[in-house]
Amino acid sequence: MRFLDEATIRIQSGSGGPGRVSFRRAKFVPKGGPDGGDGGKGGDIIFVTDSGLSTLLDFRYTREYKAKNGEPGGTQLKSGASACDLRIRVPVGTLLRDQKTGEVIVDLAESAQEFVALKGGRGGKGNHFFKRSTVQAPQKAQPGEPSQLKEITLELKLLADVGLIGLPNAGKSTLISRISNSKPKIADYPFTTLVPQLGVVKVEEGKSFVVADIPGLISGAHQGAGLGLQFLKHVERTKLFLHLIDVFEKDPLRRFSEINEELRLYSPKLLKKKQIVVLTKTDLLKGSRKITSLLQKFNTLGYPALAISAVQGKGLRELVMQTYREFCS
Ligand SMILES: Nc1nc2c(ncn2[C@@H]2O[C@H](COP(=O)(O)OP(=O)(O)OP(=O)(O)O)[C@@H](O)[C@H]2O)c(=O)[nH]1
Ligand SMILES: [Mg+2]
């Protein structure tokens, strides 16, 4: 079971800009004093929590984060520009660990929380700083402070946003294996899935959600039939359910209401959750009349409904988009 999302990244603050060696030049001032400016400060690396994010998926694609260096000092006592800080957005609940020592650096548990993980280097002093009564024309300036570098492991306890429910063999694990990074066992007998599985679904850059695949439910589950309802606790806190139904079921509408009755018996609150009906295995069906009519029937009952073939990949993009929309609304 993967309830922990993890990613290791390399962060580097910006180094300070070097100070400058320079002397004032002006008409009628043959020996101007030192006027080399200070270097600018390098950018900090700052982590910021964003309640709009729910996974660490993006960190698997971008692993290096470097803030810019400060600019060198200028002439005429002009300081170099300081670099902007680099803000890295992470989901609320992200834990930062030092990758080498395993030590917890910070637990970013609050919304809009900021944490400076690495300070940018200070800019070096320009040669004006080194002027003394005895040294009128200093030839030296300070280099900028070097940048800092660290390998960090990000950890996030995942909470499922979307739960997959349905009869055994409905195709729940096949679906999660096609739309997420989870690779569950799939087989053509009931109760293949024995423990819940989580998967992260990427919608597009910066947008993802977490799906939970749970063991199939059957009529009488509230009395312990099949694997019972013990796993429903894993989807109790999800925002919505995808209710999968094999299009070959003899009476899909009846099966649908039987499962919903089990949900109600477990907890009436579960029935209040949004459900999207997903007709599965449509590749095995010749013609689309049955599908169209079933979709209409579910719509009439007030449920959004879609048809998919996980094996052929049909309807999966639409399903992911619609799920994300429902989940965000
Ligand atoms: N042709 C076809 N077969 C599918 C499709 N989706 C799932 N299957 C098959 O249906 C069977 C059951 O699939 P699973 O994904 O294991 O079903 P499940 O709902 O997770 O089942 P449980 O874990 O037992 O509750 C497997 O043999 C799959 O290969 C599909 O889109 N088309
Ligand atoms: Mg399964």
Side-chain angles (χ1 to χ4, degrees):
M1 244 189 303
R2 269 189 76 244
F3 284 129
L4 199 66
D5 202 4
E6 237 186 35
T8 299
I9 58 170
R10 227 159 92 106
I11 55 174
Q12 186 175 6
S13 60
S15 59
R20 179 146 184 153
V21 176
S22 134
F23 296 93
R24 199 153 70 90
R25 282 163 200 273
K27 269 187 191 170
F28 316 118
V29 189
K31 281 191 179 175
D35 73 347
D38 302 339
K41 183 182 158 295
D44 296 345
I45 296 280
I46 304 177
F47 285 90
V48 192
T49 55
D50 179 341
S51 49
L53 298 172
S54 58
T55 75
L56 298 174
L57 199 64
D58 290 335
F59 295 101
R60 290 197 210 131
Y61 300 96
T62 313
R63 290 175 182 273
E64 307 244 329
Y65 295 83
K66 185 179 179 329
K68 292 219 163 71
N69 298 334
E71 295 287 334
T75 57
Q76 297 171 17
L77 294 178
K78 262 189 252 139
S79 297
S82 290
C84 291
D85 299 329
L86 180 61
R87 287 187 150 65
I88 304 176
R89 297 186 311 128
V90 293
V92 179
T94 302
L95 189 92
L96 269 57
R97 270 184 207 283
D98 186 310
Q99 204 267 333
K100 277 209 188 91
T101 62
E103 201 181 313
V104 175
I105 300 169
V106 67
D107 185 358
L108 298 170
E110 272 152 48
S111 177
Q113 190 176 347
E114 293 210 353
F115 174 74
V116 181
L118 294 179
K119 290 290 282 177
R122 262 176 315 167
K125 296 284 185 199
N127 68 337
H128 74 97
F129 182 80
F130 299 98
K131 186 180 170 188
R132 304 278 180 277
S133 54
T134 48
V135 188
Q136 292 291 326
Q139 289 293 338
K140 70 167 179 185
Q142 251 180 350
E145 237 180 6
S147 66
Q148 299 175 38
L149 200 115
K150 208 173 221 169
E151 297 248 327
I152 287 207
T153 305
L154 306 173
E155 284 178 14
L156 178 72
K157 283 208 185 76
L158 287 183
L159 282 180
D161 301 309
V162 175
L164 298 185
I165 56 170
L167 290 163
N169 252 342
K172 300 178 292 299
S173 302
T174 310
L175 174 63
I176 202 175
S177 77
R178 293 302 301 262
I179 62 173
S180 82
N181 61 346
S182 168
K183 296 287 163 256
K185 181 169 173 190
I186 294 165
D188 91 3
Y189 53 83
F191 303 114
T192 307
T193 302
L194 298 173
V195 289
Q197 302 279 337
L198 291 189
V200 179
V201 181
K202 181 172 174 168
V203 184
E204 57 188 64
E205 199 66 36
K207 290 183 182 169
S208 53
F209 58 87
V210 181
V211 183
D213 174 21
I214 60 167
L217 297 169
I218 58 172
S219 193
H222 69 284
Q223 290 160 330
L227 291 175
L229 298 176
Q230 52 173 323
F231 297 110
L232 279 176
K233 67 172 183 288
H234 293 284
V235 290
E236 239 170 357
R237 286 166 62 188
T238 63
K239 251 189 146 177
L240 93 145
F241 290 145
L242 299 185
H243 192 146
L244 272 62
I245 305 170
D246 185 332
V247 77
F248 278 96
E249 283 293 338
K250 276 214 187 72
D251 189 347
L253 283 133
R254 181 145 167 220
R255 292 278 173 260
F256 177 74
S257 46
E258 277 171 10
I259 296 291
N260 280 341
E261 179 59 9
E262 294 300 325
L263 294 184
R264 190 184 66 78
L265 290 167
Y266 177 79
S267 156
K269 265 196 246 154
L270 285 190
L271 260 199
K272 296 220 173 80
K273 278 189 207 290
K274 272 190 208 161
Q275 286 194 18
I276 299 178
V277 174
V278 183
L279 296 176
T280 64
K281 311 189 191 180
T282 57
D283 54 291
L284 297 174
L285 203 64
K286 287 207 186 81
S288 57
R289 268 187 38 217
K290 182 177 178 188
I291 298 172
T292 316
S293 118
L294 273 173
L295 292 177
Q296 266 168 7
K297 283 181 187 153
F298 281 111
N299 286 157
T300 313
L301 289 174
Y303 295 95
L306 282 104
I308 63 161
S309 160
V311 164
Q312 291 182 334
K314 271 204 190 133
L316 299 184
R317 185 73 199 144
E318 293 86 326
L319 177 61
V320 166
M321 295 310 287
Q322 177 150 3
T323 304
Y324 187 72
R325 274 197 301 274
E326 295 281 346
F327 153 68
C328 284
S329 63

